[in-house]
Amino acid sequence: MRPARHGREAGVALAVVVWFIAGMSLLVAGIVSRATVDTQLAQAHLFRAQAEAAGDGAINLLMADVLEGRFASSGDVPAASYRLGAFTVRVLAMPTAALVDVNTAPLPQLARLFREYDTAAGDEARALAASVVEWRRSGGQQPPRPARFDVVEDLLQVEGMTRTRLDDIRHMVTASGGAASGGAPRLAWVAARSPAAVVRAGLPEGAPSRRQAQPVSGASSYRVDALVEAGDRYWLRRRWVELGAGWGSSLPWATRRVEPARVIGGGA
């Protein structure tokens, strides 16, 4: 009987050892995984910081070139490529007047925007446009109170609007300084100059080089996009800029809003 009991005790001891080894393995795996995650997070923060620094520098260079009259008013939008340290940054300044103003655009214009560029809208485009107009009228409150979208992301307060839908039209719209309510923004023209389009096809053809360009006139408000390749990804750094010195700024333009750098696609 004793050998059998010893056999059972040995089996229990072996099971305990096995479970202990398994537990330690999971613990070690968790530590390694955490270290890997921490390293990845640290790298992501580093790449974002690099993209923001390089993007901001390139945006300032482009705006300086705009003010020095290096871009033709009859040509394309101000766009150029700059080398900053280890980064080549492509920058494009889209006049906000070319964008759809979500605060003033009439229902038919909004419906066309959603129908042509919101992949999820389809037959719901007009209803979604009507929801935007209704939100402007009521602010989503009872009793109704007229309201404005302070930033493009405020569209998420509209019934039926989702993050996916917002991302589909984000590069086509503005919350201030857009096309007049009676105007008709060239949506396809704007879409061809979106960050994703620039990543795929490069800067617009015909965009003047720094040596060939002539003065630009008319536009005083821009959405300036800087595309930086860092960590095998393309990062978008976006600033909303108005010509004219702003309070507390030594530069001859004022930055009205800065968007954190975000990934928009894989690198080469």
Side-chain angles (χ1 to χ4, degrees), residues 7-27:
R8 288 195 298 272
E9 291 175 351
V12 171
L14 178 60
V16 170
V17 170
V18 169
W19 277 105
F20 177 78
I21 293 174
M24 291 301 295
S25 298
L26 289 173
L27 177 61

Side-chain angles (χ1 to χ4, degrees), residues 120-235:
D123 295 337
E124 301 176 14
R126 188 170 183 83
L128 188 56
S131 294
V132 172
V133 174
E134 171 60 23
W135 190 94
R136 296 188 320 214
R137 184 191 70 83
S138 67
Q141 303 179 32
Q142 291 295 334
R145 180 184 305 173
R148 287 180 56 85
F149 300 104
D150 292 327
V151 294
V152 170
E153 288 77 10
D154 285 345
L155 282 170
L156 291 172
Q157 300 179 61
V158 173
E159 183 179 358
M161 180 63 69
T162 65
R163 175 65 64 177
T164 298
R165 288 177 167 177
L166 175 61
D167 288 342
D168 282 341
I169 64 166
R170 175 188 294 275
H171 305 301
M172 313 291 292
V173 299
T174 179
S176 64
S181 58
R186 294 180 290 168
L187 297 181
W189 183 86
V190 174
R193 287 150 185 79
S194 70
V198 172
V199 167
R200 290 193 306 268
L203 294 173
E205 291 185 9
S209 67
R210 296 183 65 183
R211 293 183 179 180
Q212 298 171 335
Q214 300 171 5
V216 64
S217 62
S220 61
S221 178
Y222 294 92
R223 186 197 69 198
V224 192
D225 292 340
L227 292 164
V228 185
E229 187 175 1
D232 296 326
R233 294 181 175 182
Y234 280 106
W235 295 77

Side-chain angles (χ1 to χ4, degrees), residues 22-100:
M24 291 301 295
S25 298
L26 289 173
L27 177 61
V28 171
I31 294 173
V32 172
S33 176
R34 177 60 183 271
T36 301
V37 170
D38 288 345
T39 300
Q40 292 173 342
L41 288 174
Q43 288 178 334
H45 285 305
L46 172 62
F47 294 144
R48 177 178 286 109
Q50 291 174 331
E52 291 180 347
D56 288 344
I59 288 172
N60 287 337
L61 290 174
L62 183 73
M63 295 311 299
D65 281 349
V66 168
L67 288 176
E68 289 178 10
R70 297 186 183 274
F71 297 96
S73 59
S74 59
D76 214 300
V77 295
S81 180
Y82 301 95
R83 183 74 178 178
L84 296 174
F87 302 100
T88 297
V89 187
R90 288 179 277 186
V91 196
L92 186 147
M94 176 64 69
T96 56
L99 305 172
V100 174

